[in-house]
Amino acid sequence: MGLKSKTGIWPFFLQTLDLNYMRLTGIFLFFLFITLACKAQQLKYTAFTVNDGLPSNYVYRAIEDDKGFLWVATDAGIARFDGKHFQVFTTREGLPDNEVLGVVKEKNGRIWVNCFKQSPAYFDEVKNRFINAKDDTLLAKVKESTGNMYCFALQEGGVIFHDNRGSFIFKDNKLISYPAARPHGFFIRKNNDGPRLESGFIPSRDKNMAQTAIFQLRGKTVLDSTVISNNSTRDNITRGLNGGKFYFLSGLSGKCYIYSNFSTGPIRFKLDSVTPPEPFNNFEFTYDGFYMVGVSGKLYLFNKETLHIEAEVAGNYLANSMYKDHNGNIWVCTIDKGLLVYKRKQFGSVEMPRGFTHTDFLSIGLKPDGSILAGNFYGEVVEGRQKVITIHIIPKKGLIDRQRKILFSQNKIFTFSESGVYENYKLLGRFAKTAINYNDSIIIIGQPYSMLKLNSVTREFTVLNAFKKRVTALTRTVDGTIYFGSTDGLYKYDYGKNTATVLTQNSPLLQERITALCATPDGLVWVATSGSGVVVLKNDKVLLQIEEKRGIVNNATRSITTGKPGQVWLGTSGGISVINYKLLRNKLTCIIQNLTEHDGLVNNVINEMLYQKDTVYAATGKGIAVIPANIAIPEFNITVRVVRITVNQRDTIIESTYQLTYTQQNVQVQFAAIELSGHFKNLQYMLDKNENWTNLNENTLTVQLNSGNHTLRVRAVDVNGNISDKILTIKIDVATPFWKSIWFWTVTALVLQFSVIYLLNLRIKRRKEAALAKQIAGVQIASLEQQAFTSLMNPHFMFNALNSIQHYINVQDRQNANRYLSDFASLIRKNFEAAQQSFTPLEQEIENIKIYLRLEQMRFNERFEYQVITDEHLDTEDWMVPTMMLQPLLENALLHGIMPSSINGKVSIELKMQAQYLLIIITDNGIGIANSLALKETNGHRSRGMELIKKRIAALRSFGLHAITISMSPAFTGERNPGNQITLFIPQGLFPSWLQAQQQ
């Protein structure tokens, strides 16, 4: 993978560096031999995928809007990127289709999309959603197309959508349609005098050939034309509009023709052309250029003005398109690897040989001749010398053999690792954790349990009297004092006296695990710790602690080295912090600049650094970085914008001022700090009159506001701690609840004044209460009567049931007697339970009457049959009916209607809803009411069941607005067996009214 200019990788690499770098001749020579050693200088890219918030790894297009956002079109929606966070928009946010093929920016800044579902849509900044044909009647006039549609921004403003039907221009909230007047017509421009220019085909007698011409048209009338191309019908023709120019690309000729400066009478124009290095299959515009995608997958970026190739982009990916933003970063949209970015500014790096993957370096050294040495985890030392990369393999005792330190003494190379100390890559003895040059012949070595000195002339090792500690870091001051760190803190060693001193008691900060040390000529000792940043000592006393809140990139430090006077370079797990300091009267002030992968570091894990001749060499987790010591990363004045706001968990439009009700107190705001290069660190906010800014580590703030006027201010901080002066301000006015308002208390005072009137009218109120109590008493009496009638029904039923049991006993039918007694016991229990309540569920009442009818069937030797019909829409569980209302009616039907009849009886019970009533119809084929009354007069029988039913209905009339109604009529027209039909209407509100009366 790589990025290069037309003339090669090296010239483009020079273009991407800061001009200050060009003074560093030594660096350029070094990079030159590294470049020649490898086939091509490979520039690193950063990839953004679905794991970073991208909706899909299949990316079609990207474009930067006027606010600095990057819009990324994918096959699963479109994302708005601020450099750190993706905000995704899909059909739920108004897209016509989730597969977004293209995105363009109108001159006024409006973003338009072209989706797979060929229908225009644009983004509404206030509503924070896309507006489609369902929302905008103007867009709806362009009917959805099944063909390919293309979209371009017009130089004079507006956008044009083009397909096989013609061209559609949206500008100033108006739609201008130009149906294609010629085959494959393509709108170019409209002249000031009215006619328009359009390109199209001229059919030829030869079916394999066609001419492309530019026509001057008024309506569909051709006023003038000129042929611009004779091409095969098999040619892949691509056309586009940008900056008032018409681009015509021919696949067979391999050229892009650019037409501009049009005039008419006759048609005249300026013609330019470019020829890409290879055939191409795609074409698109950036803000200051255009690109072509070659058939090899390589992308060629052309400058619009010079028509020269600015850059060539290729890698281990398949590209759909590319985009160059205003900062010079190049974004590549890929088919399966997401969105890639090549940063404009890159630091140098030492290119490793192809196939060499052990690039996790721990140590680094520089030979007198300028060659670089770097040791890794695997017992290897990489040397770059005289245009040659050499890999020295050191014998190791295990799979991992960390090359922790590389030193030069007496013109010899010494390497230090768990396998031992090596001289010119040959084992000398002992193993080591770290080491420093004490003088030109003495090397001080730190071990897991002691400290040694090595005479590089005699090769002799001597154990030093320095406690039995695990030595993790070493440094030497200008006066010869040695400071060494361990897992439990900091110590000092006097080389002349061969004695050690404990410094951990001087400060709790000096009791941390020490990762690295360095001493500056002004007498300062810089102590890098594992988790508390850097501690600076003067005369063994803590002068200053520098941690993340003071500006360093990470508190987990790994290495430290001195730079030019007044400068220290700190390596961490998150990048490099360049500390420029001043010491005045034991007061230390610092200016810190952070460098990370966003600035071009090959990796953020900095294991060791070396300063030499205005250049810093860094051994990182993924290679060797080469950084000019005078590097200056600019301040980033980052803009903050609101991208979403919710009030009480509901989305609302984006404004700068909000008027909310007193119930709308929960406000959540999602921000975007726009910096595409990745230098944004965090947000800070201030609410109301609070004088302190509060850090906001995420991009969302949730506040619970009280009534009143509130002002929310938000600003951004970059990775170097520079605070943006662009402050976002949001004003929110939450209304005061009425009970806290002045008018409420005024009304309250008036109420108190009128309370006297209330007392005077108390007698009237008591009279009304007495009348109400009388009404309630009447309801309660009616309820008691209803319960009394219900209790009378039980003995009436039991009397008839015992008659049935007596019958079976008299005829000595034991089996039926037992069955009857079982059902009778069940019915008695159910009736006993029902008698405790005045109302019972309809479902239970139906079950009771089924048992009753089954008992009567047994008693009368199956002389009748019955059926219960329940409407499927009737909810029998919820309907409440008066207890044992139906059984007496069925008893009358059987005893006084069917039993005196000479034919087999039939009883039907139908239950259904009719309006707000439960309708119950009981039908029998007995002798009828008239015949039954005649028999009663003969035998003197008196039916108590119907009397009780009527009394219960009369008692229940006190409940609710509607009463129960019952009616009886002949069921059939015959004289001997006219039957009887009882119709019972029970209102739906009866039970609630009865229940309310009971509660009162």
Side-chain angles (χ1 to χ4, degrees):
M1 53 193 161
L3 179 65
K4 63 179 182 179
S5 73
K6 183 178 180 181
T7 56
I9 295 176
W10 171 243
F12 180 81
F13 182 69
L14 287 182
Q15 293 174 16
T16 63
L17 292 174
D18 191 279
L19 292 177
N20 292 331
Y21 303 172
M22 296 184 179
R23 298 186 296 104
L24 308 175
T25 307
I27 298 175
F28 293 151
L29 292 176
F30 174 77
F31 275 98
L32 181 59
F33 85 73
I34 292 297
T35 303
L36 294 175
C38 305
K39 291 184 178 180
Q41 172 69 44
Q42 306 292 323
L43 294 184
K44 301 294 189 297
Y45 61 75
T46 301
F48 297 96
T49 66
V50 292
N51 296 329
D52 303 296
L54 200 64
S56 170
N57 286 340
Y58 193 110
V59 183
Y60 284 107
R61 296 285 186 273
I63 193 172
E64 186 181 11
D65 68 13
D66 291 345
K67 295 179 175 62
F69 287 109
L70 190 74
W71 290 83
V72 186
T74 78
D75 65 349
I78 189 168
R80 184 168 61 178
F81 185 50
D82 60 12
K84 189 173 183 179
H85 300 98
F86 289 94
Q87 184 183 16
V88 178
F89 299 88
T90 63
T91 52
R92 185 172 54 186
E93 288 79 31
L95 284 179
D97 191 289
N98 282 336
E99 192 157 0
V100 184
L101 306 178
V103 53
V104 298
K105 178 176 72 68
E106 192 179 348
K107 186 178 181 180
N108 63 7
R110 175 176 283 180
I111 293 295
W112 291 76
V113 293
N114 181 29
C115 299
F116 193 88
K117 186 177 182 179
Q118 306 291 316
S119 178
Y122 62 86
F123 185 70
D124 189 314
E125 293 282 351
V126 175
K127 295 181 179 179
N128 198 37
R129 61 179 285 110
F130 281 88
I131 305 301
N132 56 42
K134 295 179 181 179
D135 310 312
D136 191 325
T137 56
L138 195 65
L139 300 180
K141 292 181 180 180
V142 179
K143 302 301 181 182
E144 185 179 324
S145 170
T146 58
N148 293 329
M149 181 174 281
Y150 304 93
C151 180
F152 304 98
L154 298 176
Q155 183 183 28
E156 65 275 12
V159 293
I160 179 171
F161 284 84
H162 172 79
D163 62 11
N164 55 2
R165 298 172 297 178
S167 301
F168 309 93
I169 296 176
F170 294 94
K171 182 182 177 183
D172 300 330
N173 295 321
K174 296 179 181 178
L175 170 63
I176 305 174
S177 300
Y178 294 105
R182 308 291 298 179
H184 301 282
F186 185 89
F187 175 89
I188 297 176
R189 56 169 289 172
K190 182 178 180 181
N191 299 329
N192 294 329
D193 56 354
R196 71 184 186 278
L197 295 182
E198 181 179 294
S199 76
F201 285 1
I202 300 176
S204 172
R205 292 182 179 179
D206 186 350
K207 295 182 178 180
N208 295 322
M209 298 297 295
Q211 291 181 320
T212 301
I214 295 178
F215 300 91
Q216 182 181 8
L217 301 166
R218 187 186 301 275
K220 292 190 175 182
T221 303
V222 178
L223 304 179
D224 192 9
S225 66
T226 180
V227 176
I228 61 173
S229 174
N230 292 292
N231 46 274
S232 168
T233 54
R234 294 180 290 106
D235 196 358
N236 180 23
I237 301 297
T238 304
R239 294 170 291 183
L241 290 175
N242 186 265
K245 299 179 180 180
F246 171 57
Y247 291 76
F248 181 86
L249 292 88
S250 169
L252 289 180
S253 69
K255 286 189 176 183
C256 173
Y257 299 95
I258 305 169
Y259 299 86
S260 60
N261 299 339
F262 289 95
S263 61
T264 56
I267 298 174
R268 295 185 299 274
F269 46 75
K270 177 186 175 183
L271 175 62
D272 295 293
S273 67
V274 297
T275 303
E278 61 173 314
F280 56 87
N281 56 20
N282 204 350
F283 164 85
E284 194 57 79
F285 300 98
T286 70
Y287 87 96
D288 65 349
F290 60 92
Y291 66 86
M292 298 182 188
V293 182
V295 293
S296 68
K298 184 178 290 186
L299 297 102
Y300 302 93
L301 178 64
F302 291 83
N303 184 283
K304 286 182 184 178
E305 302 301 325
T306 66
L307 301 182
H308 294 157
I309 295 179
E310 283 189 350
E312 298 177 9
V313 181
N316 59 342
Y317 48 79
L318 291 177
N320 268 325
S321 64
M322 67 183 298
Y323 184 79
K324 178 184 176 184
D325 66 25
H326 284 77
N327 293 322
N329 303 314
I330 291 182
W331 302 81
V332 180
C333 305
T334 72
I335 289 177
D336 61 350
K337 295 189 184 309
L339 179 68
L340 315 179
V341 58
Y342 291 92
K343 299 294 180 63
R344 180 176 66 89
K345 291 187 177 181
Q346 299 272 349
F347 297 143
S349 62
V350 177
E351 199 69 23
M352 295 294 111
R354 293 187 182 275
F356 183 76
T357 59
H358 296 166
T359 57
D360 193 345
F361 291 105
L362 283 171
S363 57
I364 193 162
L366 193 65
K367 294 176 68 174
D369 64 359
S371 300
I372 288 182
L373 296 176
N376 63 17
F377 274 77
Y378 301 94
E380 298 166 332
V381 175
V382 176
E383 178 178 358
R385 181 180 60 187
Q386 300 300 319
K387 304 179 183 181
V388 176
I389 298 293
T390 303
I391 299 176
H392 302 280
I393 300 177
I394 298 174
K396 53 186 177 180
K397 298 178 180 179
L399 179 63
I400 297 177
D401 188 11
R402 302 175 182 86
Q403 300 302 303
R404 294 185 176 274
K405 198 71 177 180
I406 301 174
L407 296 176
F408 301 90
S409 181
Q410 299 295 316
N411 295 319
K412 293 178 287 187
I413 301 172
F414 290 87
T415 60
F416 303 85
S417 67
E418 283 93 341
S419 296
V421 179
Y422 288 77
E423 178 188 78
N424 293 332
Y425 311 114
K426 294 181 180 180
L427 182 62
L428 191 61
R430 307 297 181 99
F431 57 88
K433 302 290 286 185
T434 185
I436 59 168
N437 283 322
Y438 187 76
N439 55 36
D440 60 355
S441 62
I442 299 298
I443 297 175
I444 304 299
I445 303 171
Q447 290 189 304
Y449 52 82
S450 65
M451 205 157 64
L452 307 175
K453 75 173 179 178
L454 167 63
N455 189 311
S456 59
V457 177
T458 64
R459 299 180 180 177
E460 293 181 353
F461 291 92
T462 305
V463 178
L464 302 179
N465 182 23
F467 305 119
K468 292 183 178 180
K469 293 291 182 181
R470 181 185 183 95
V471 179
T472 57
L474 287 165
T475 191
R476 177 189 183 278
T477 64
V478 292
D479 63 0
T481 303
I482 295 173
Y483 287 82
F484 67 93
S486 183
T487 55
D488 60 353
L490 183 66
Y491 299 85
K492 182 168 66 172
Y493 175 76
D494 189 323
Y495 182 79
K497 298 180 181 179
N498 192 24
T499 58
T501 305
V502 178
L503 298 180
T504 55
Q505 74 279 4
N506 291 5
S507 171
L509 294 173
L510 302 182
Q511 299 171 10
E512 297 246 1
R513 177 166 66 89
I514 310 302
T515 58
L517 293 165
C518 77
T520 50
D522 48 19
L524 298 180
V525 177
W526 299 72
V527 183
T529 69
S530 61
S532 297
V534 180
V535 180
V536 186
L537 304 183
K538 178 72 171 179
N539 299 326
D540 298 338
K541 301 296 182 183
V542 175
L543 194 63
L544 182 67
Q545 181 189 12
I546 306 174
E547 47 190 341
E548 285 183 27
K549 64 182 181 182
R550 287 185 177 269
I552 65 172
V553 69
N554 198 303
N555 283 339
T557 66
R558 303 179 71 90
S559 58
I560 194 167
T561 189
T562 57
K564 63 185 180 181
Q567 187 182 73
V568 169
W569 289 65
L570 175 67
T572 75
S573 297
I576 295 174
S577 292
V578 185
I579 304 173
N580 295 284
Y581 69 91
K582 288 184 179 180
L583 178 62
L584 182 62
R585 297 176 184 176
N586 289 331
K587 184 177 181 181
L588 191 67
T589 57
C590 302
I591 297 176
I592 299 172
Q593 177 177 275
N594 295 318
L595 310 175
T596 66
E597 291 178 0
H598 296 301
D599 305 299
L601 282 180
V602 293
N603 188 254
N604 281 337
V605 178
I606 311 300
N607 293 314
E608 189 175 32
M609 292 179 292
L610 174 67
Y611 175 83
Q612 186 76 19
K613 296 181 180 179
D614 293 330
T615 303
V616 173
Y617 302 88
T620 79
K622 286 187 180 180
I624 303 168
V626 182
I627 310 165
N630 62 347
I631 181 71
I633 301 298
E635 295 184 9
F636 297 89
N637 203 18
I638 301 173
T639 300
V640 180
R641 294 190 180 276
V642 176
V643 295
R644 186 186 182 192
I645 185 166
T646 62
V647 178
N648 288 359
Q649 290 78 48
R650 296 185 65 180
D651 283 318
T652 186
I653 61 175
I654 297 176
E655 297 178 316
S656 59
T657 303
Y658 292 89
Q659 300 288 334
L660 305 180
T661 66
Y662 69 86
T663 60
Q664 297 175 310
Q665 296 183 335
N666 183 271
V667 178
Q668 186 178 78
V669 189
Q670 184 177 338
F671 303 99
I674 309 169
E675 211 296 293
L676 294 180
S677 298
H679 291 91
F680 164 68
K681 181 181 180 182
N682 66 274
L683 295 170
Q684 293 181 337
Y685 73 94
M686 179 189 297
L687 184 60
D688 297 334
K689 297 181 180 180
N690 186 3
E691 296 181 356
N692 298 320
W693 289 87
T694 303
N695 286 331
L696 182 63
N697 294 324
E698 296 298 327
N699 66 331
T700 302
L701 174 65
T702 303
V703 291
Q704 191 74 23
L705 301 176
N706 297 322
S707 299
N709 296 319
H710 302 276
T711 301
L712 176 64
R713 297 176 178 86
V714 184
R715 66 187 184 185
V717 181
D718 70 15
V719 292
N720 290 312
N722 301 310
I723 298 174
S724 174
D725 59 11
K726 297 178 180 179
I727 299 177
L728 172 70
T729 302
I730 303 174
K731 295 185 179 296
I732 305 173
D733 181 14
V734 181
T736 302
F738 71 90
W739 60 84
K740 294 183 179 180
S741 60
I742 296 176
W743 67 264
F744 173 78
W745 289 107
T746 302
V747 171
T748 302
L750 293 174
V751 171
L752 291 175
Q753 292 177 4
F754 283 108
S755 61
V756 176
I757 299 175
Y758 170 77
L759 294 174
L760 293 176
N761 293 328
L762 185 59
R763 184 177 180 183
I764 299 174
K765 180 180 178 181
R766 287 180 176 176
R767 288 181 177 178
K768 291 181 179 179
E769 290 177 349
L772 179 61
K774 186 176 181 180
Q775 293 176 0
I776 293 174
V779 172
Q780 291 175 341
I781 291 172
S783 176
L784 292 173
E785 288 178 353
Q786 190 269 340
Q787 292 181 13
F789 292 143
T790 300
S791 65
L792 288 176
M793 292 301 298
N794 285 327
H796 179 267
F797 165 72
M798 291 178 66
F799 177 80
N800 291 326
L802 289 174
N803 285 338
S804 299
I805 296 172
Q806 184 181 25
H807 167 76
Y808 276 104
I809 293 173
N810 290 337
V811 298
Q812 296 183 355
D813 187 349
R814 294 182 179 181
Q815 183 177 1
N816 284 333
N818 289 333
R819 289 173 55 195
Y820 197 96
L821 282 172
S822 177
D823 282 346
F824 174 71
S826 175
L827 185 62
I828 289 297
R829 178 178 56 82
K830 290 181 179 294
N831 285 347
F832 178 78
E833 292 173 355
Q836 309 303 314
Q837 302 291 333
S838 297
F839 281 76
T840 186
L842 179 60
E843 182 182 45
Q844 186 63 50
E845 187 71 4
I846 294 173
E847 179 66 22
N848 290 348
I849 63 174
K850 286 181 178 179
I851 296 175
Y852 169 75
L853 291 172
R854 191 161 60 244
L855 290 173
E856 294 296 343
Q857 269 187 330
M858 294 173 61
R859 173 188 172 193
F860 294 114
N861 295 320
E862 308 293 330
R863 277 198 57 196
F864 71 92
E865 59 182 9
Y866 70 91
Q867 62 176 346
V868 180
I869 305 171
T870 304
D871 189 355
E872 61 180 356
H873 300 295
L874 178 61
D875 190 350
T876 59
E877 291 183 3
D878 290 342
W879 258 99
M880 300 294 290
V881 298
T883 304
M884 294 185 67
M885 178 69 76
L886 303 182
Q887 187 172 316
L889 300 177
L890 293 170
E891 183 182 30
N892 282 341
L894 294 174
L895 298 181
H896 306 297
I898 291 176
M899 291 302 104
S901 173
S902 60
I903 65 174
N904 290 333
K906 293 183 181 180
V907 178
S908 171
I909 304 99
E910 183 180 1
L911 302 99
K912 60 183 178 179
M913 284 292 298
Q914 183 168 315
Q916 299 300 315
Y917 290 87
L918 171 64
L919 173 60
I920 302 175
I921 302 174
I922 300 174
T923 306
D924 66 77
N925 63 345
I927 62 175
I929 296 176
N931 295 331
S932 176
L933 291 175
L935 287 176
K936 289 179 182 179
E937 290 178 358
T938 303
N939 57 27
H941 176 76
R942 179 185 176 188
S943 176
R944 292 284 298 163
M946 289 303 300
E947 291 181 11
L948 293 174
I949 291 294
K950 291 179 180 179
K951 287 184 179 181
R952 293 179 68 191
I953 291 174
L956 289 171
R957 286 175 182 170
S958 302
F959 304 95
L961 299 176
H962 305 284
I964 297 177
T965 60
I966 187 171
S967 62
M968 290 180 287
S969 62
F972 308 101
T973 57
E975 294 182 1
R976 294 186 60 186
N977 287 84
N980 187 36
Q981 185 176 76
I982 302 174
T983 303
L984 186 66
F985 285 89
I986 302 177
Q988 192 172 21
L990 176 62
F991 175 73
S993 299
W994 174 85
L995 187 62
Q996 182 179 6
Q998 288 293 102
Q999 292 173 349
Q1000 291 177 343

